[in-house]
């Protein structure tokens, strides 16, 4: 029968569970031993016997007559397991003999060793004990020597270090003494040389004056006139003291005020005039604010480092706008511990590493301008960790940081004191980024987001949810902002709002402006094409509005201006820009002259329907200081009428083709 070693496990288990090898073994053993005449009947009988006795009691010699059974030792459960390949291991007589021999030998060895240890006493116990005591004494002596040597080594090392320090101090003292002696000799020689030079110059000038006087006497004697008959102008001018205007004689406060208006370049030039001017330029109050951007093309990194090291305790404001500086120079900014304002915008060499040094050394910064730099999320992590009092932050046009960087603003003490934030041009910021800003900077009051084509209404909603203190917001170049954003801002107490170049904002955003924004004072809605006269009507109830800019809102006409000025807003309005509102006419200007007693600035550029009649109404606005009438149809007559205005300081008349030299002369 073929072996089942390569058969599947299911078949092998079946054979084992049903004792098929044992049954076959018992039947075959019975046939081979008994050799019955009718094997089939014999097998049938034996199978019935096996079924009656059960498979569990099955033995290989069950089918053999007891008188014919061989008397051999059973080595395994069944020999048929070998035939079918079901045996896991086979116990042979040879293996049994080896196992018994190994076991007997091990018992003999164990018992013999135990007997030998008991029977034969130790004869050299004293020698071994003496040897152990000797080794213990040697080890103890070695430890004592090691301990003493360590103490001695530490003492010698300390004495050597003390001697070295003493020698170094003596050398320093000797060096300082030599330097003092050299400087003293140099100072004495310089003073002597300077005094000698002054004496030579004075002697030279006296000789020249004496020679000139002698020549003058000879000329007078030749002419027969008395020498200096009376005090003359020439004598006074020659012999009298020359009047001088010495700025150093002024009070220190006046001198500081004079030099305060000079740029850094001018201060450097003044410091090279003379010794007294140099002392005046070294007043600490003049170095509270240093603007290196004005001299960025000529100043060196070495001078910047030396200046910051010298005035590190006085510097409060630093401006490095556009400066190309090395890392060492930027690290020197960290010396200014009292720094409050730092402008490093447009610095291509500013990195996260340099910002790390600055943040660790200048924790009191209130104003920080990082616009148009290559800072990353590492710098964003530093801001809340070190600049705990930061109030003004500009990240305009910084493209390297992400929404994750904005989430860092909430770490540590966070940027909770931030008031002004500029994110112009940061197109990589998503809605989640604005949500991170809202969670970190809840105290923002002034927000500027210009040149942001990716800005949407959802961004504004996410920001406004946690920032209710916003009072000023500027969106220039955000074409996707709509009325929904304006509605979301209704939860804030806005006072200044500015939108430019937006085609989605309609009159609906101004519908409830008097209820949602009662304190608004500045509105800039330039180039919003969908605004009409209804918007102006909605603005008329505002009592705090002082500045209104609706330039390029081409759908606004006289009716809207009239409705706007009928409300209380006309009393407070100071600036009004209606440039390119092509439907405006003389009626609007007439209404302005009647209702706006405090109007200072008025722009009517490219309002083509205005005539000289409108100028007569402009003259009646006595508070006007500046007027822009460029691109209108006024003529010399209108300009002559405008000449009667006494307070007007600025007047723009470009592209007014009806005005000639006659009108200009009259003005």
């Amino acid at each position: 029968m073929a072996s089942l070693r390569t058969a599947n496990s299911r078949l092998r288990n079946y054979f084992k569970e049903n004792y098929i090898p044992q049954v076959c073994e018992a039947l075959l053993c019975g046939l081979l031993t008994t050799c019955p005449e009718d094997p089939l009947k014999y097998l049938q009988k034996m199978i019935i016997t096996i079924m009656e006795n059960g498979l569990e009691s099955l033995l290989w010699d069950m089918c053999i007559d007891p008188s014919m059974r061989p008397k051999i030792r059973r080595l395994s459960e069944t020999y048929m397991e070998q035939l079918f390949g079901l045996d896991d291991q086979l116990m042979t007589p040879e293996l049994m003999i080896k196992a018994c021999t190994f076991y007997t030998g091990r018992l003999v060895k164990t018992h013999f060793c135990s007997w030998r240890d008991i029977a034969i006493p130790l004869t050299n116990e004293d020698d071994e004990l003496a040897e152990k005591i000797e080794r213990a004494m040697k080890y103890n002596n070695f430890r004592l020597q090691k301990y003493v040597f360590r103490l001695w080594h530490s003492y010698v090392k300390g004495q050597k270090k003390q001697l070295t320090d003493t020698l170094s101090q003596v050398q320093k003292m000797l060096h300082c003494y030599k330097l003092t002696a050299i400087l003293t000799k140099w100072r004495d020689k310089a003073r002597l040389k300077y005094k000698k030079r002054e004496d030579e110059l004075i002697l030279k000038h006296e000789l020249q004056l004496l020679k000139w006087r002698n020549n003058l006497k000879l000329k007078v004697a030749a002419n027969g006139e008395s020498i200096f008959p009376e005090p003359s102008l020439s004598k006074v001018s020659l012999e009298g003291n020359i009047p001088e205007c010495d700025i150093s004689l002024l009070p220190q406060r006046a001198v500081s005020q004079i030099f305060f208006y000079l740029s850094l370049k001018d201060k450097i030039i003044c410091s090279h005039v003379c010794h007294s001017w140099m002392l005046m330029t070294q007043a600490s109050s003049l170095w509270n604010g240093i603007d290196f951007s004005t001299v960025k093309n000529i100043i060196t990194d070495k001078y910047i480092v030396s200046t910051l090291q010298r005035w590190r305790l006085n510097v409060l404001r630093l401006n490095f706008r556009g400066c190309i500086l090395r890392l060492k120079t930027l690290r020197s900014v960290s010396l200014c511990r009292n720094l409050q304002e730092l402008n490093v915008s447009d610095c291509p060499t500013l990195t996260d590493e340099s910002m790390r040094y600055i943040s660790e050394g200048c924790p009191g910064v209130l104003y920080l301008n990082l616009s148009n730099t290559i800072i990353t999320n590492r710098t964003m992590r530093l801001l809340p960790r070190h600049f705990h009092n930061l109030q003004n932050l500009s990240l305009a046009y910084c493209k390297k940081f992400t929404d994750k960087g904005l989430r860092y603003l909430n770490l540590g003490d966070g940027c909770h004191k931030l008031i002004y934030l500029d994110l112009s041009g940061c197109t990589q910021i998503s809605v989640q980024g604005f949500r991170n800003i809202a969670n970190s900077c809840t105290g923002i009051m002034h927000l500027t987001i210009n040149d942001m084509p990716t800005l949407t209404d959802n961004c504004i909603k996410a920001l406004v949810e946690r920032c209710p203190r916003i009072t000023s917001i500027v969106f220039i170049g955000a074409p996707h902002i709509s009325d929904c954003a304006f509605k979301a801002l209704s939860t804030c107490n806005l006072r200044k709002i500015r939108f430019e170049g937006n085609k989605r904002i309609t009159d609906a955003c101004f519908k409830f402006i008097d209820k949602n924004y009662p304190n608004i004072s500045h509105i800039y809605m330039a180039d919003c094409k969908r605004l009409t006269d209804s918007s102006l009507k909605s603005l008329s109830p505002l009592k705090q509005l002082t500045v209104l800019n609706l330039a390029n809102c081409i759908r606004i006409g006289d009716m809207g201006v009239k409705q706007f000025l009928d409300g209380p807003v006309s009393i407070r309005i100071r600036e009004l820009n209606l440039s390119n509102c092509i439907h405006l006419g003389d009626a609007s200007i007439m209404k302005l002259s009647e209702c706006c007693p405090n109007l200072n600035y008025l722009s009517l550029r490219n309002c083509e329907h205005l005539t000289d009649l409108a100028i007569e109404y402009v003259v009646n606005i006595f508070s006007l200081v500046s007027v822009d009438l460029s691109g209108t149809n006024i003529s010399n007559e209108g300009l002559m009428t405008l000449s009667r205005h006494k307070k007007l300081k600025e007047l723009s008349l470009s592209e007014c083709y009806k005005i000639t030299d006659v009108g200009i002369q009259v003005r």
Side-chain angles (χ1 to χ4, degrees):
M1 184 179 290
S3 175
L4 294 177
R5 295 183 187 275
T6 59
N8 56 23
S9 59
R10 182 180 178 184
L11 182 59
R12 291 169 60 87
N13 293 334
Y14 175 77
F15 267 63
K16 284 187 177 183
E17 291 174 357
N18 295 285
Y19 297 89
I20 292 176
Q22 290 83 348
V23 173
C24 294
E25 183 181 21
L27 294 176
L28 286 174
C29 289
L31 287 173
L32 294 175
T33 305
T34 307
C35 297
E37 295 180 358
D38 192 351
L40 295 178
K41 288 183 179 181
Y42 176 79
L43 291 174
Q44 182 179 4
K45 180 179 178 182
M46 291 296 105
I47 290 172
I48 293 172
T49 303
I50 292 171
M51 291 174 63
E52 290 176 354
N53 295 329
L55 296 174
E56 290 78 6
S57 61
L58 182 63
L59 298 174
W60 68 275
D61 55 352
M62 181 180 287
C63 298
I64 302 175
D65 189 77
S67 61
M68 301 178 66
R69 292 177 183 175
K71 297 180 180 180
I72 61 175
R73 185 178 179 182
R74 188 177 64 178
L75 297 178
S76 63
E77 292 295 332
T78 172
Y79 290 106
M80 292 302 290
E81 291 181 357
Q82 303 176 37
L83 184 61
F84 286 99
L86 298 175
D87 58 328
D88 296 328
Q89 61 182 359
L90 178 62
M91 176 62 70
T92 61
E94 291 81 3
L95 294 176
M96 180 63 71
I97 292 171
K98 288 182 179 181
C100 293
T101 303
F102 176 78
Y103 181 72
T104 305
R106 188 169 183 83
L107 286 176
V108 171
K109 183 178 179 180
T110 303
H111 288 83
F112 176 77
C113 292
S114 301
W115 171 82
R116 185 188 61 184
D117 294 338
I118 296 172
I120 303 175
L122 294 176
T123 58
N124 53 354
E125 288 183 356
D126 296 337
D127 297 338
E128 289 182 357
L129 182 60
E131 185 179 355
K132 289 181 180 180
I133 292 173
E134 184 179 359
R135 286 201 303 267
M137 292 176 64
K138 287 182 179 181
Y139 178 73
N140 189 29
N141 292 334
F142 175 75
R143 289 191 64 185
L144 289 174
Q145 291 175 2
K146 188 175 180 181
Y147 175 73
V148 173
F149 177 77
R150 284 181 178 176
L151 293 177
W152 173 83
H153 179 71
S154 300
Y155 173 76
V156 172
K157 189 175 180 181
Q159 291 294 325
K160 189 175 180 180
K161 184 178 179 182
Q162 185 177 0
L163 182 62
T164 304
D165 295 340
T166 305
L167 182 62
S168 177
Q169 290 179 2
V170 171
Q171 290 178 350
K172 287 182 180 179
M173 292 172 62
L174 180 62
H175 183 66
C176 291
Y177 175 76
K178 288 182 178 180
L179 289 178
T180 304
I182 292 171
L183 288 174
T184 303
K185 290 182 179 180
W186 173 82
R187 184 186 61 187
D188 295 339
K189 288 184 179 181
R191 286 179 178 178
L192 182 61
K193 188 175 181 180
Y194 180 75
K195 188 176 183 303
K196 184 178 179 181
R197 183 180 178 184
E198 281 189 346
D199 294 341
E200 290 177 354
L201 289 174
I202 291 172
L203 181 60
K204 184 178 179 181
H205 291 164
E206 288 179 353
L207 291 174
Q208 289 179 353
L209 182 60
L210 182 61
K211 184 178 179 181
W212 177 81
R213 285 182 176 179
N214 291 332
N215 292 334
L216 183 61
K217 288 179 181 180
L218 292 174
K219 288 181 181 180
V220 171
N223 295 332
E225 299 176 356
S226 62
I227 301 175
F228 307 121
E230 59 182 5
S232 61
L233 182 61
S234 61
K235 181 179 179 181
V236 174
S237 63
L238 291 174
E239 296 181 355
N241 294 328
I242 300 174
E244 296 181 354
C245 181
D246 191 357
I247 192 175
S248 62
L249 300 177
L250 295 175
Q252 182 64 31
R253 183 176 179 183
V255 174
S256 301
Q257 194 67 21
I258 292 172
F259 282 94
F260 179 76
Y261 291 98
L262 298 181
S263 63
L264 179 62
K265 181 179 179 181
D266 296 333
K267 292 177 185 177
I268 296 173
I269 294 173
C270 291
S271 65
H272 291 83
V273 173
C274 61
H275 182 69
S276 61
W277 281 49
M278 183 188 69
L279 294 177
M280 287 186 287
T281 57
Q282 301 305 315
S284 59
S285 60
L286 298 177
W287 299 94
N288 289 339
I290 306 178
D291 188 0
F292 290 107
S293 63
T294 57
V295 290
K296 60 184 178 183
N297 297 325
I298 59 175
I299 201 167
T300 61
D301 290 58
K302 184 178 180 180
Y303 180 81
I304 294 176
V305 173
S306 62
T307 302
L308 294 180
Q309 287 178 347
R310 182 172 184 179
W311 304 105
R312 58 185 180 275
L313 298 180
N314 301 98
V315 175
L316 300 179
R317 300 177 298 277
L318 280 178
N319 188 356
F320 290 104
R321 181 181 178 87
C323 297
I324 302 176
L325 306 173
R326 296 181 300 175
L327 177 61
K328 181 180 179 181
T329 306
L330 291 171
R331 287 180 61 179
S332 63
V333 178
S334 61
L335 299 174
C336 306
R337 299 288 181 177
N338 299 321
L339 188 65
Q340 295 181 3
E341 298 182 10
L342 177 61
N343 186 349
V344 288
S345 59
D346 300 320
C347 290
T349 56
L350 182 72
T351 60
D352 296 328
E353 185 68 16
S354 54
M355 277 304 301
R356 181 173 68 84
Y357 289 108
I358 294 173
S359 62
E360 291 176 355
C362 308
V365 172
L366 302 178
Y367 171 92
L368 182 61
N369 191 341
L370 301 174
S371 59
N372 200 19
T373 56
I374 57 174
I375 61 163
T376 64
N377 291 342
R378 292 176 58 191
T379 299
M380 303 300 291
R381 186 191 291 267
L382 295 172
L383 296 180
R385 185 177 299 175
H386 299 285
F387 299 140
H388 301 231
N389 299 317
L390 188 63
Q391 296 180 5
N392 191 310
L393 176 63
S394 177
L395 300 173
Y397 306 101
C398 295
K399 303 287 187 178
K400 298 294 184 179
F401 72 90
T402 61
D403 295 341
K404 184 178 180 181
L406 295 174
R407 189 174 61 187
Y408 292 149
L409 296 178
N410 202 24
L411 296 178
D413 292 335
C415 294
H416 304 302
K417 295 183 180 180
L418 201 64
I419 296 176
Y420 175 87
L421 180 63
D422 189 352
L423 297 174
S424 301
C426 299
T427 54
Q428 75 275 15
I429 303 177
S430 64
V431 178
Q432 183 59 40
F434 281 95
R435 190 172 288 111
N436 294 337
I437 295 174
N439 293 332
S440 307
C441 312
T442 56
I444 294 178
M445 298 179 65
H446 307 284
L447 182 65
T448 301
I449 309 178
N450 298 331
D451 299 329
M452 194 81 160
T454 58
L455 190 67
T456 61
D457 297 336
N458 292 330
C459 298
I460 304 302
K461 292 178 181 178
L463 185 65
V464 172
E465 286 178 357
R466 300 291 300 275
C467 299
R469 299 176 60 187
I470 296 177
T471 60
S472 173
I473 193 164
V474 181
F475 296 141
I476 299 177
H480 298 291
I481 297 296
S482 65
D483 298 336
C484 296
F486 204 92
K487 184 178 180 181
L489 291 169
S490 61
T491 58
C492 304
N493 186 18
L494 284 184
R495 296 185 180 180
K496 180 179 178 181
I497 189 167
R498 183 168 184 172
F499 287 86
E500 288 189 15
N502 191 293
K503 297 181 180 180
R504 300 185 64 185
I505 292 180
T506 64
D507 297 331
C509 67
F510 296 109
K511 189 174 182 181
F512 304 104
I513 192 168
D514 59 324
K515 298 179 181 179
N516 296 330
Y517 311 104
N519 297 321
I520 195 166
S521 60
H522 292 67
I523 296 179
Y524 298 86
M525 288 291 179
D527 200 17
C528 295
K529 307 295 185 181
R530 300 183 65 179
L531 296 183
T532 64
D533 293 339
S534 299
S535 299
L536 285 174
K537 183 179 179 181
S538 301
L539 296 177
S540 61
L542 298 177
K543 297 180 181 180
Q544 304 296 329
L545 187 63
T546 57
V547 178
L548 178 63
N549 187 342
L550 296 177
N552 297 327
C553 296
I554 57 176
R555 302 178 66 180
I556 292 177
D558 292 335
M559 182 58 68
V561 174
K562 182 179 181 301
Q563 293 174 345
F564 172 73
L565 297 176
D566 285 338
V569 68
S570 59
I571 305 298
R572 299 290 298 275
I573 194 75
R574 290 189 297 104
E575 297 183 22
L576 184 61
N577 190 342
L578 298 175
S579 301
N580 295 315
C581 295
I582 56 178
H583 297 294
L584 291 181
D586 297 340
S588 299
I589 312 304
M590 181 180 67
K591 191 68 175 178
L592 283 173
S593 64
E594 295 175 355
C595 303
C596 300
N598 297 313
L599 187 63
N600 299 133
Y601 301 91
L602 177 63
S603 178
L604 300 171
R605 177 184 291 266
N606 296 328
C607 294
E608 301 174 353
H609 296 289
L610 295 181
T611 63
D612 294 337
L613 180 61
I615 304 303
E616 296 182 1
Y617 299 124
V618 170
V619 175
N620 295 329
I621 307 176
F622 302 108
S623 59
L624 270 182
V625 177
S626 175
V627 178
D628 188 354
L629 298 173
S630 303
T632 58
N633 291 322
I634 66 172
S635 61
N636 293 335
E637 296 179 359
L639 198 58
M640 292 173 62
T641 305
L642 191 60
S643 64
R644 299 199 304 266
H645 202 292
K646 302 302 180 181
K647 294 185 178 181
L648 201 60
K649 296 181 180 180
E650 295 181 5
L651 177 63
S652 179
L653 297 171
S654 61
E655 300 182 6
C656 294
Y657 300 110
K658 293 184 178 182
I659 296 177
T660 63
D661 296 340
V662 177
I664 299 297
Q665 291 175 359
V666 174
R667 181 70 183 104

